[in-house]
Amino acid sequence: MDMLKAVVTDLNELDEGLRGYYVQKDGKFFLNVTPVDGFQLDNTQGLKTALGAERNNVSVLQAQLKPYEGLDVAAARTAIERIAAFGDITPEAAKTAVETAARLTALDPEKQAEQIANTKLDTIKGQLSAQYGVKEAEWTTKVKGLEDTNASLVGQLKTIMGESQIKSEVAKANPLDDARDAVELLVGKFVRTSMKDGQVVVDVIDTNGNPRIKDVNGTPFTVADLVAEIREKSASLFKPDEKRGLGTNPGNQGSNPPAGGVVNPWAAETRNITQQMVLENTKPELAKQLKAAAGVKD
């Protein structure tokens, strides 16, 4: 005789006489059994799963409690409270402190006073060394800042002193108004400033950068000497002593020289390469006009 199934999905699977013992629930047909003395028809799969999970939890807890078997609860609580009192102290730091305390406790002050003093001295020296290191870094930074500032100021001072002397000597030579900047530029190419014994020294140098001298005695060549030399070589850049205006030719008053009376350095009869260079660097438009007047093509 076949046993009755606890649940079926289709009543047609059962004999017609057995179908009345089943009730439909959640799309299935369950055997309708009346509970007696605590026995009843129920879904045991969920119970088995829950029971397995609980058994697993018990096994895990038992494994975790294994190291604490035989531990006195009161003693454990006291130990936890003492550990909490140490705050953030690490076990390694605590171990070192205990070892140090034990070593110091074992010392005999009378016999080992020198050792104790040396230990304290080393500690103080270490602290002072650390403080000195910090201060040394601060001083080094400040000194570097002062040195940079001083170098900048010295550079500015040398530039001002050099330019001041150049402008002063060029002005004394009475250059043409239009040529003043050009003459100062030309003089500046051969002037070098330096610091000697805390003073700014202005030297005149040659094309190789060596200081120029005037005689066998080693007399320095001054800025005034340099301006006089340029005035002699390029007289057209300066006003004549008789104040007739630079570049005018007394013998040609009836002609109309270009650029308001300025001698044309590109003309064959007044060719002057130095003045050509100066005008091209400082007065390019004027240089272009003078070239055209002399028939010179770029």
Side-chain angles (χ1 to χ4, degrees):
M1 176 179 179
D2 295 335
M3 301 298 292
L4 294 178
K5 295 182 179 180
V7 60
V8 296
T9 57
D10 187 357
L11 288 179
N12 293 323
E13 297 177 7
L14 304 173
D15 293 337
E16 186 175 353
L18 299 176
R19 295 175 184 175
Y21 295 105
Y22 287 83
V23 293
Q24 185 178 8
K25 182 180 179 181
D26 297 330
K28 295 181 180 180
F29 298 92
F30 295 86
L31 183 62
N32 191 11
V33 178
T34 302
V36 177
D37 296 333
F39 292 92
Q40 64 181 12
L41 182 65
D42 202 351
N43 183 6
T44 61
Q45 186 62 39
L47 294 176
K48 290 180 180 180
T49 301
L51 179 59
E54 289 300 322
R55 286 178 177 174
N56 183 65
N57 291 338
V58 169
S59 298
V60 172
L61 291 174
Q62 287 177 342
Q64 293 176 345
L65 291 174
K66 189 72 175 177
Y68 301 98
E69 287 182 357
L71 181 65
D72 183 88
V73 176
R77 182 180 295 108
T78 301
I80 292 174
E81 292 174 352
R82 289 180 178 177
I83 291 175
F86 287 95
D88 295 331
I89 298 178
T90 63
E92 291 78 8
K95 180 181 178 182
T96 301
V98 170
E99 292 174 350
T100 303
R103 178 172 55 81
L104 294 176
T105 301
L107 292 177
D108 185 345
E110 295 181 359
K111 296 180 180 180
Q112 298 175 303
E114 183 177 355
Q115 183 177 352
I116 295 174
N118 288 336
T119 301
K120 292 182 178 179
L121 179 60
D122 290 342
T123 301
I124 294 174
K125 287 170 62 177
Q127 294 173 348
L128 292 177
S129 178
Q131 293 176 4
Y132 176 78
V134 174
K135 289 297 182 182
E136 184 180 27
E138 294 178 357
W139 295 333
T140 300
T141 301
K142 289 182 180 180
V143 170
K144 182 62 168 61
L146 292 174
E147 289 177 345
D148 292 343
T149 301
N150 182 66
S152 176
L153 292 175
V154 168
Q156 295 178 40
L157 178 61
K158 290 194 297 184
T159 300
I160 292 172
M161 292 294 291
E163 291 180 350
S164 175
Q165 191 167 145
I166 291 172
K167 289 181 179 295
S168 176
E169 295 301 334
V170 170
K172 292 177 184 178
N174 201 20
L176 281 174
D177 294 338
D178 290 341
R180 182 182 300 274
D181 291 342
V183 174
E184 290 178 356
L185 179 64
L186 184 60
V187 173
K189 289 183 177 181
F190 300 99
V191 172
R192 179 179 62 193
T193 58
S194 61
M195 294 294 296
K196 294 181 181 178
D197 300 326
Q199 301 292 326
V200 177
V201 177
V202 180
D203 295 319
V204 177
I205 59 176
D206 57 22
T207 55
N208 295 321
N210 300 315
R212 293 183 61 181
I213 56 176
K214 291 193 295 185
D215 50 41
V216 294
N217 296 321
T219 304
F221 204 82
T222 66
V223 176
D225 295 330
L226 177 61
V227 173
E229 182 180 77
I230 294 174
R231 177 173 167 68
E232 182 178 351
K233 293 180 179 179
S234 304
S236 59
L237 298 176
F238 299 84
K239 297 176 183 178
D241 292 337
E242 54 270 22
K243 300 182 181 179
R244 287 175 297 179
L246 176 65
T248 57
N249 188 342
N252 293 324
Q253 293 296 328
S255 62
N256 294 318
V262 176
V263 172
N264 190 338
W266 280 274
E269 66 276 8
T270 55
R271 181 178 176 79
N272 189 312
I273 297 177
T274 300
Q275 190 175 1
Q276 289 178 10
M277 179 188 68
V278 172
L279 289 175
E280 286 181 335
N281 289 333
T282 60
K283 306 287 184 181
E285 290 299 326
L286 178 59
K288 185 176 181 180
Q289 296 175 15
L290 294 174
K291 284 182 180 180
V296 177
K297 298 182 179 179
D298 291 332

